[in-house]
Amino acid sequence: MTRPKKTEEPTLAVRAVRTQQADKSIYAFFVAGADLLKIAEISRVHRDSDGSLHGFQRKGIKSHVQAITDFLDQGPVLFPNSIILAIAPSARFTQSRGEKPGGDARVCEAGTLRIPLPRDGSKCAWIVDGQQRSIALSQARNKSFPVPVVAFVSEELSVHREQFILVNKARPLDPRLINELLPELDTVFPRELSSRKIPSELVNLLQTSRDSPFYGLIKRISEDSSSAVVIDSALIKAIRSSINGALGCLAPHKATAGSPADVDTMYRILKAYWSAVRTVFPEAWGRPATESRLMHSAGIEAMSILMDRVMSRASLEADLFDHATEALSRLAPHCRWTSGRWQELQRDWNEIQNVGKDIRLLSGHLVRLDHMHAFAKVA
């Protein structure tokens, strides 16, 4: 009696290189983005009925996944971020034949890696790093987008978790460094980074333009200046809020479907307003935050909220500096940036801190003062 031949399970074959670390084989290769979730699964954290912990991955963040997908769908993009997989020993590697090239460092060997694709739908690889990127790549329009993959051989969940923790505990790039680099790059970014580019560009102009009231006063990671007193992130946050806020004075000049952002006009508004601040509060301008709460992040954010109110009342054809100077001069007698006590707030000048509660308290007070004096002038 002749036994039927056993049907071999299908595989995904990729050209790969292999090396060894800690007695484990490690492979590096490329696959089409759409194939990632065909060979690998996301082992999400959950507990069974006995309370035992399974998996290790975080839940997917929809907004982040969508942002990556939108970026990939914009057209030809550079996206070389590698996915890290743990792969089962059932994956088979066949070394290529032939002589090694001259000068070969002999740290790896080339060949073909065959990854099983079980018919029952199970998978022989698990995503250790790149969960959200993998989902986004599976949803992107270009299903053949080549993705770099590094895979180590292990079926032990403890090893997967160990690598997951090691990969994700690494300190991310300082957001201030990213903000400073963005204006220097002429490329298309994911939505979250794109929204940070124009505020970063405006802060760069404020720091480097000789006609700017902030010239040389902004603390940046790339510069070590004893004269810098304002943290760049405080200005970036304030400008971003003005651009994105419904009542922000910079919002009318942001990009629309039919036109790019008007950065020149945004800069003109910022320069006029903060030049007026410098003129009205000369004793508080340019001093360290320990000596002047105007230069403190709390003061910058509160005065930026006031800027939206003051500058929204001005016509772009008017003298913006004169308009701002007149409005701020009416508030000056009530402000305590370097000494004294904010009586209405029941706070000494140096008790104002860079926390949400204090910023809301200070900005609310400044806006009420502006409203009171602006209304009195009209009456």
Side-chain angles (χ1 to χ4, degrees), residues 325-338:
T325 301
E326 181 183 357
L328 293 171
S329 295
R330 295 193 293 265
L331 276 61
H334 305 275
C335 295
R336 303 291 181 266
W337 296 119
T338 61

Side-chain angles (χ1 to χ4, degrees), residues 19 40 51 134 140 155 160 212 265 318 366 377:
T19 192
S134 299
E155 288 186 300
H160 303 178
S212 164
T265 297
L366 293 172
K377 180 185 176 185

Side-chain angles (χ1 to χ4, degrees), residues 3-23:
R3 292 183 178 180
K5 290 184 178 180
K6 184 178 180 180
T7 304
E8 292 186 358
E9 287 191 318
T11 61
L12 176 68
V14 293
R15 300 291 292 172
V17 293
R18 179 177 66 179
T19 192
Q20 296 286 129
Q21 288 183 357
D23 298 326

Side-chain angles (χ1 to χ4, degrees), residues 258-312:
S259 61
D262 187 351
V263 176
D264 290 341
T265 297
M266 290 185 190
Y267 176 72
R268 188 158 69 90
I269 293 170
L270 289 165
K271 184 182 75 170
Y273 176 76
W274 288 105
S275 293
V277 173
R278 179 180 60 181
T279 298
V280 174
F281 303 106
E283 78 290 345
W285 190 261
R287 295 171 65 176
T290 53
E291 300 176 9
S292 169
R293 280 308 191 252
L294 180 61
M295 300 284 94
H296 191 278
S297 293
I300 293 294
E301 289 194 41
M303 288 295 284
S304 293
I305 292 171
L306 179 64
M307 176 187 72
D308 286 334
R309 183 178 181 86
V310 170
M311 302 309 283
S312 292

Side-chain angles (χ1 to χ4, degrees), residues 80-210:
N81 312 60
S82 61
I83 306 295
I84 298 179
L85 303 181
I87 196 166
S90 54
R92 297 299 177 190
F93 181 80
T94 305
Q95 185 177 351
S96 298
R97 297 180 179 179
E99 295 183 3
K100 291 185 178 293
D104 182 17
R106 299 184 182 277
V107 295
C108 63
E109 53 196 12
T112 300
L113 180 67
R114 289 180 170 80
I115 305 169
L117 298 171
R119 290 189 175 87
D120 62 5
S122 61
K123 297 169 184 176
C124 71
W126 301 267
I127 297 173
V128 172
D129 183 56
Q131 168 191 3
Q132 294 166 40
R133 280 172 281 147
S134 299
I135 296 172
L137 285 158
S138 71
Q139 297 174 355
R141 286 196 291 265
N142 183 3
K143 303 302 181 184
S144 61
F145 190 92
V147 182
V149 175
V150 174
F152 61 89
V153 176
S154 174
E155 288 186 300
E156 301 173 36
L157 184 58
S158 61
V159 176
H160 303 178
R161 286 176 175 164
E162 172 191 282
Q163 291 302 309
F164 175 74
I165 292 170
L166 289 173
V167 166
N168 287 282
K169 81 170 185 177
R171 184 179 178 184
L173 282 176
D174 189 323
R176 290 178 60 204
L177 176 58
I178 296 175
N179 287 334
E180 193 169 342
L181 291 172
L182 282 173
E184 308 298 324
L185 305 176
D186 185 19
T187 188
V188 178
F189 291 102
R191 186 170 52 222
E192 191 274 333
L193 283 179
S194 295
S195 67
R196 290 162 59 178
K197 185 175 182 180
I198 288 178
S200 299
E201 184 176 344
L202 287 165
V203 168
N204 187 55
L205 287 171
L206 289 170
Q207 168 69 357
T208 59
S209 300
R210 291 188 174 274

